[in-house]
Amino acid sequence: MASKIARGPLLVAAALLGTGHARAQTTASAAELVDALNRVFGTRRHARANHAKGLVVSGSFRPSRDAALVTKAVHLQPAQAPVKTTVRFSNFGGNPHVADGDPGAAPYGMAIKFALSNGEETDIVMHSFNGFPSRTTNEFRDFLTALAKSPAGSPQPSPLQRYAATHERARFFLDAVKPAPESFASQPYFGVNTFKFIDAAGAARYGRYRFVPDATRYLAQAAKPGGPPIICTLNCANGFRMRPSP
């Protein structure tokens, strides 16, 4: 089941998964994951360990009336002023200079921060692949470790191939075609995390966000000479303005 919760150039759909949700055991720490990412992409000063190259835009968000049927979250209630948002589009990997059309730049990321009326903030993290190579932080750490040990020219089968042979999610992620988009704003994005939605009656269900673009309302923009390498931004007429971000 999916419920549309926004209008405009990016349509937000919450793909609801039902009332039950099993949580897999996970123990790997954030520091372990960052270390594992740095082993894959290398350590760079003043750069993120992953999705190092990005573009930040700011705008506003107004939910549809359907949103209130799913959740009582403050920013998803229709009778309110538009919610200020900050959105970061990004390329995969730890290389802040990767070409946008490079196969290694996919899946592309989209992260949204909502500035709530009560002074708090909430976030959604998504990427352009419908899925994730692991279920837990432990599996993700092991996936990255195998990736780091499998540079081009590694003897076959490589550690990554051996890992993928016993981990279906990782194998599906590696084998999937991830074409470069015409624009950051012209492709769908899929929530990495599952959220618990609680409606006004107290009923709970779980789901992942899916952002679907209105393909008729985006603008491709080339980088200015000497400026930051970017491939696009949302049409400024839609309420977003562009500013490059590291």
Side-chain angles (χ1 to χ4, degrees):
M1 175 184 178
S3 177
K4 187 186 297 183
I5 60 177
R7 300 185 298 271
L10 289 172
L11 303 179
V12 190
L16 302 179
L17 308 177
T19 56
H21 179 65
R23 176 174 294 181
Q25 184 176 9
T26 180
T27 58
S29 67
E32 288 180 85
L33 297 182
V34 170
D35 288 343
L37 285 164
N38 286 335
R39 285 193 291 271
V40 174
F41 303 114
T43 303
R44 294 176 173 83
R45 292 187 62 187
H46 310 302
R48 301 166 186 244
N50 196 11
H51 288 271
K53 181 182 178 182
L55 170 73
V56 172
V57 297
S58 59
S60 61
F61 170 85
R62 185 187 295 276
S64 73
R65 294 186 179 276
D66 291 342
L69 302 176
V70 177
T71 176
K72 58 183 180 180
V74 174
H75 61 303
L76 297 178
Q77 305 309 304
Q80 63 167 342
V83 179
K84 292 182 178 180
T85 60
T86 303
V87 182
R88 185 178 190 265
F89 296 101
S90 60
N91 292 345
F92 175 73
N95 180 4
H97 307 295
V98 64
D100 298 315
D102 190 299
Y108 300 88
M110 180 182 182
I112 306 177
K113 183 177 292 295
F114 299 87
L116 306 184
S117 58
N118 60 6
E120 297 181 353
E121 297 175 337
T122 189
D123 306 276
I124 301 175
V125 176
M126 297 165 289
H127 62 186
S128 58
F129 178 74
N130 188 10
F132 202 73
S134 58
R135 297 177 305 131
T136 67
T137 56
N138 292 26
E139 288 184 3
F140 190 44
R141 175 200 57 204
D142 296 344
F143 170 74
L144 293 172
T145 299
L147 184 60
K149 293 180 178 179
S150 305
S154 295
Q156 306 295 309
S158 67
L160 183 61
Q161 289 172 324
R162 292 197 297 270
Y163 180 86
T166 58
H167 293 80
E168 184 178 3
R169 288 173 182 260
R171 185 168 65 252
F172 180 71
F173 176 84
L174 293 169
D175 292 343
V177 177
K178 309 177 189 70
E182 184 176 353
S183 163
F184 278 131
S186 66
Q187 67 177 2
Y189 295 88
F190 306 89
V192 173
N193 305 104
T194 297
F195 282 80
K196 182 179 182 179
F197 296 88
I198 303 176
D199 63 25
R205 66 196 79 181
Y206 294 84
R208 290 192 302 130
Y209 287 102
R210 177 178 299 179
F211 274 54
V212 182
D214 180 343
T216 64
R217 299 176 66 185
Y218 68 86
L219 175 68
Q221 177 173 322
K224 296 180 180 180
I230 58 175
I231 62 172
C232 69
T233 182
L234 293 178
N235 191 323
C236 293
N238 293 332
F240 288 87
R241 63 180 183 274
M242 180 190 68
R243 61 182 178 87
S245 172

